[in-house]
Amino acid sequence: MKNRLRIYICTFILQIILSIGILTSYIPAEEKVVLLGPGTSCITSSCHTDMGTKKYVHAIGVNAKLCNKCHAIIKEGEHRFKEIPPDVRPLCAQCHSEELPPPADIKGTPPKVISKDEEIKFHAPFAEGKCTECHDAHESDFYKHLKLQYPENFYASFSVEIYSLCYKCHKEMNETLTEPRTLTATRFRNGNLNLHVRHVNKEKGRTCRACHLHHGSKGPALMRETFPFGSRMLTIKYEKTDTGGSCGPACHTQARYDRYAPVYSPIKTSPRPGEDATEEELGLSRERDMQKENEEKNSKNLKTISHEGEKR
Ligand code: HEC
Ligand code: HEC
Ligand code: HEC
Ligand code: HEC
Ligand code: HEC
C-alpha cells in the first residue's frame, strides 16, 4: 500500500516538472548573439581557450585567424556561422584537391588527396565526403589527427584497440582480426584459414596499410597496387578471382587463396593454428556464400527497379 502511494506521488511530481518544461520551451528565448569586433581573435583567454593543445594538430584548424576557411560567418561582426554540411569535401578541397592550388595565405604544403581520377574506387565514407568521421578538422591525440586510434607504422603489435578507427564502422569485423579459423568472418581466407589474422594479428603484425589504401584505390577491396617499404616501392600484384585471389611476389612468392578449395603454397610460415575444414564443411560454406551473394544481388536489383519506378 505504502509503495503504491509513493509511486503515485512520484508520477504526480514528474508530471508537474514535465509540464513546466514543455510550457517554458514555448516562451521564445531572447537570442543572445556574441558580437565580434574587427580583427577579434577566435582563441583568447575566454574563448576556445584549449584549442591547439592536443598531440596532433591540423595547423589550419587551430589558427585563430583562419577559422573562417571552414566556418563561414553569416553576418559580419556576429558570432553566428553557417552550418557545416554533411559532405565536407568542398571545405577540405580548398587545400587538399589535386585540381586547386592551395590558398596563398596559408603556410605549409597540404597533401593532395582529393582526386577526380575516375579509375579510383573510393572508400565509401571518403566518397560521401565524411572526412570528419575519421579526421578531426582541428586536432586530436591520434596520428594524422584521426578521431580514434589507428597505428602509425607498417608493423604493429596487435590489439583490437589500435584499430578502433576501423571498428567504428566495420562492426561486421567481429572475428575478422581475431578468429584464426573461420568459414564466415572474412573473404580473405584459404579454406577456413583466416588470412587477415595470419597477417595482422601478431607481435609484429602488418597494419591494414600494408595491403589497403584508406581513401581509395584502383584495385578491388581498396587493395593497393604498390606499397612503400623502407625507401622502396614494392608491387603487390593482387588479383581477385570469384572464389579467392592471389598476391606476390613482393613479400613472399606468388601465393593463392581459395575459400572452398584451399591451396597451400610452400611458403615458410609459422605453424597453422586449429584444424582445416572438411570437404563437407567447405561445400556447405560455399552454398551459404552463394545464397548470401544472390540475396544481395536481388536486393540491389529490387532497389534499381524501384528507383526506375520513381523516375517514371
Ligand atoms: C578545415 C576546416 C575547419 C577549420 C579551419 C576550423 N574548423 Fe571548426 N569545425 C570544422 C568541422 C568540419 C566541424 C564539425 C564537427 C566535425 O565534423 O567534427 C567543426 C566544428 C567546430 C565547433 C563545434 C564543436 C565541435 O567540435 O563539434 C567549434 C566550436 C569549432 N569548430 C571551432 C573552430 C575554431 C575556433 C576554429 C579556428 C581556430 C575552427 N573551428 C577552424 C571544420 C573546421
Ligand atoms: C586552408 C587550407 C586547408 C584546409 C581547408 C584543410 N586543410 Fe588539411 N592541411 C592543410 C595544410 C597546410 C596541411 C599540412 C600540415 C599542417 O600544416 O598541418 C594539412 C594537413 C592535413 C592532414 C595531414 C596531417 C599530418 O599530420 O600530416 C590531414 C589528415 C588533413 N589536413 C585533413 C584535412 C581535412 C579532413 C580537411 C577538411 C575538413 C582539411 N584538412 C582542410 C591545409 C588545409
Ligand atoms: C576511413 C577513414 C578515413 C576517411 C573517411 C578519410 N580519411 Fe584521410 N586518412 C585516413 C588515414 C588512416 C590516414 C593515414 C594514412 C597513412 O598514413 O597511411 C589518412 C591520411 C590523410 C591525409 C594525409 C595524407 C598524407 O600523405 O600525409 C589527408 C590530407 C587526409 N587524410 C585527408 C582526408 C580528406 C580530405 C578526407 C575526406 C574527403 C579524408 N581524409 C577521409 C583515414 C581516413
Ligand atoms: C565512417 C565509416 C567507416 C570507417 C571509419 C571505415 N570504413 Fe571501411 N568501409 C565503410 C563502408 C560503408 C564500406 C562499404 C561497405 C560495403 O560496400 O559493403 C567500407 C568498405 C571497406 C573496404 C572494402 C570492402 C570491399 O569488399 O570492397 C575495406 C577494405 C575497408 N572498408 C577497410 C577499412 C579500414 C582499413 C578502415 C580503418 C582505417 C576502415 N575501413 C574504416 C565504412 C567505414
Ligand atoms: C595481407 C594483406 C591484408 C592486410 C594486412 C589487411 N587486409 Fe583486409 N583484405 C585483404 C584482401 C586481399 C581482401 C579481399 C578479400 C576477397 O575479397 O577475396 C580484404 C578485405 C577486407 C575487407 C572486406 C571484408 C572481408 O573481410 O572480406 C575489410 C573490411 C578489410 N579487408 C579490412 C581490413 C582491416 C581493418 C585491416 C587492418 C586491421 C586489413 N583489412 C588488413 C588483404 C589484407
Side-chain angles (χ1 to χ4, degrees), residues 20-33:
I20 293 177
I22 290 166
L23 281 176
T24 47
S25 70
Y26 284 117
I27 303 170
E30 208 177 304
E31 213 180 315
K32 205 176 145 204
V33 179

Side-chain angles (χ1 to χ4, degrees), residues 14 81 100 114 162 179 185 189-191 197 212 232 307 310:
L14 249 178
F81 304 90
L100 303 171
I114 298 176
I162 61 170
E179 279 302 316
R189 58 179 203 265
N190 194 24
V197 167
H212 298 294
R232 291 183 299 161
H307 273 298
E310 276 161 29

Side-chain angles (χ1 to χ4, degrees), residues 1 3 124 144 179 194:
M1 223 16 228
N3 266 344
K144 300 271 174 198
E179 279 302 316
N194 184 338

Side-chain angles (χ1 to χ4, degrees), residues 177-304:
L177 304 179
T178 50
E179 279 302 316
R181 297 284 185 166
T182 177
L183 285 169
T184 49
T186 174
R187 288 196 310 270
F188 190 30
R189 58 179 203 265
N190 194 24
N192 69 348
L193 186 70
N194 184 338
L195 297 174
H196 268 119
V197 167
R198 288 293 271 176
H199 287 89
V200 176
N201 190 332
K202 298 177 159 223
E203 187 49 46
K204 195 180 170 193
R206 290 147 200 93
T207 53
C208 321
R209 68 167 61 70
C211 302
H212 298 294
L213 285 171
H214 312 92
H215 292 160
S217 81
K218 293 185 182 176
L222 300 182
M223 285 295 286
R224 57 196 307 163
E225 291 170 312
T226 57
F227 67 94
F229 195 75
S231 55
R232 291 183 299 161
M233 284 307 271
L234 301 181
T235 313
I236 287 196
K237 283 221 186 96
Y238 173 69
E239 269 163 42
K240 193 176 159 71
T241 65
D242 283 346
T243 55
S246 67
C247 186
C251 304
H252 42 63
T253 54
Q254 181 80 8
R256 285 199 302 127
Y257 66 95
D258 191 296
R259 289 180 283 276
Y260 317 111
V263 229
Y264 289 109
S265 3
I267 304 173
K268 238 174 89 187
T269 54
S270 51
R272 301 180 180 108
E275 275 175 32
D276 290 347
T278 61
E279 293 273 329
E280 201 190 346
E281 286 167 334
L282 291 171
L284 281 173
S285 74
R286 176 185 218 134
E287 271 169 37
R288 224 178 12 239
D289 288 355
M290 294 293 168
Q291 203 181 341
K292 212 170 115 195
E293 239 168 68
N294 280 338
E295 276 165 17
E296 273 161 19
K297 251 186 228 153
N298 285 341
S299 80
K300 255 186 209 156
N301 284 346
L302 269 179
K303 266 186 212 150
T304 24

